[in-house]
Amino acid sequence: MSDRVALVTGSTQGIGAAIARRLAKEGYRVALHGRRSASEMASLLTGLPGASYHAADLEQVESAGSLVRDVLAHHGRLDVLVNNAGAVARFPHADLKAATPAVWRRMMDVNLIAPWMLITEAETALRASARTGRPGCIVNIGTHAGVRPKGSSIPYAVSKAALHHTTRLLALTLGPDIRVNCVAPGLVDTAMSTGWEAAYELWNTKSPMRRPAKPDDIADLVAAFCRNDYVTGEILIADGGLNLT
Ligand SMILES: NC(=O)c1ccc[n+]([C@@H]2O[C@H](COP(=O)([O-])OP(=O)(O)OC[C@H]3O[C@@H](n4cnc5c(N)ncnc54)[C@H](OP(=O)(O)O)[C@@H]3O)[C@@H](O)[C@H]2O)c1
């Protein structure tokens, strides 16, 4: 598999960094991504053979085009796209005024439109990957809050619910050349969830697994979607069973 290339957006830390490490271990050349400069992020590439780093602020959704072009210029092909980069807004669902148009736009731009643009830009390369023997693979990172009426805020949950539905619609549209799946985590112990005491309390006391996920728990599932050549259109909830309560 050593010639296969995976782009993992938002892989400077947290879930994305775990996914990048995991896919590198599975033999992919990984293209890491974040907003910070390549010089700041050089240490990220240590121990990841053939890996590269590409900077792009996906709130500027047009930057998706140059990101995919940079990755293709560097690696010459693209087999897997993991849409992991995401933005969160955290405020009570009942605080309707906090959901300003600017908040709505940021959530939709980073969590929905940027992944859409990346998929659009990557489609030709992912179809070319299919001609080398295995379907191209897209894995989107959603959230349990896109499935159940929960989560950090209504705009965040809605943007991810739209990403879930896009996953299904694109699985239907892009098969058999490209598979499209989604992992929908519950609480994951990362910088994004730091300080959210109520959520930690909930997961530690009420979820069957009695803990939030670690980034590696989510990376395992992304790697499984990448290994499999048949499953498409699935939204896999990874919330330690909280949805059962
Ligand atoms: N943590 C949770 O509890 C949880 C639960 C469910 C779903 N998720 C989802 O999982 C994904 C990863 O979350 P995480 O917890 O690992 O978050 P994190 O630790 O805050 O990392 C976020 C990553 O996304 C990048 N990013 C953020 N905004 C960006 C932008 N505008 N343009 C480009 N890159 C951007 C960051 O890069 P920089 O280096 O530029 O900051 C960073 O690499 C997100 O989609 C999130 O919604 C998280």
Side-chain angles (χ1 to χ4, degrees), residues 5-9 11 29-33 51-54 71 75 78:
V5 175
L7 166 58
V8 183
T9 66
S11 41
R29 279 186 285 145
V30 181
L32 293 97
H33 154 264
S52 59
Y53 175 82
H54 309 264
V71 171
H75 291 283
L78 184 63

Side-chain angles (χ1 to χ4, degrees), residues 54-209:
H54 309 264
D57 181 354
L58 293 175
E59 199 170 337
Q60 315 304 316
V61 294
E62 295 75 18
S63 69
S66 53
L67 173 57
V68 172
R69 281 193 296 279
D70 276 3
V71 171
L72 288 172
H74 188 93
H75 291 283
R77 63 185 286 169
L78 184 63
D79 305 279
V80 169
L81 167 62
V82 182
N83 278 312
N84 166 78
V88 73
R90 198 189 302 161
F91 50 82
H93 290 199
D95 186 358
L96 303 192
K97 292 240 163 61
T100 60
V103 169
W104 274 106
R105 285 189 193 108
R106 192 163 71 88
M107 293 299 103
M108 298 307 273
D109 281 349
V110 179
N111 296 339
L112 178 66
I113 300 174
W116 175 267
M117 297 293 289
L118 286 160
I119 292 167
T120 303
E121 297 290 341
E123 180 189 357
T124 303
L126 293 171
R127 285 194 192 279
S129 167
R131 292 195 290 279
T132 66
R134 299 185 59 199
C137 174
I138 296 169
V139 184
N140 296 321
I141 304 300
T143 167
H144 77 123
V147 180
R148 304 188 76 211
K150 289 189 167 282
S152 323
S153 66
I154 289 178
Y156 174 73
V158 168
S159 67
K160 292 287 194 174
L163 183 64
H164 293 182
H165 201 51
T166 301
T167 299
R168 294 193 192 93
L169 292 167
L170 285 180
L172 201 54
T173 304
L174 298 177
D177 281 358
I178 305 172
R179 296 180 305 109
V180 192
N181 290 292
C182 175
V183 178
L187 185 69
V188 189
D189 194 7
T190 68
M192 186 178 274
S193 56
T194 299
W196 197 7
E197 300 305 334
Y200 277 85
E201 172 71 12
L202 186 64
W203 258 269
N204 287 332
T205 59
K206 293 276 188 303
S207 73
M209 295 314 295

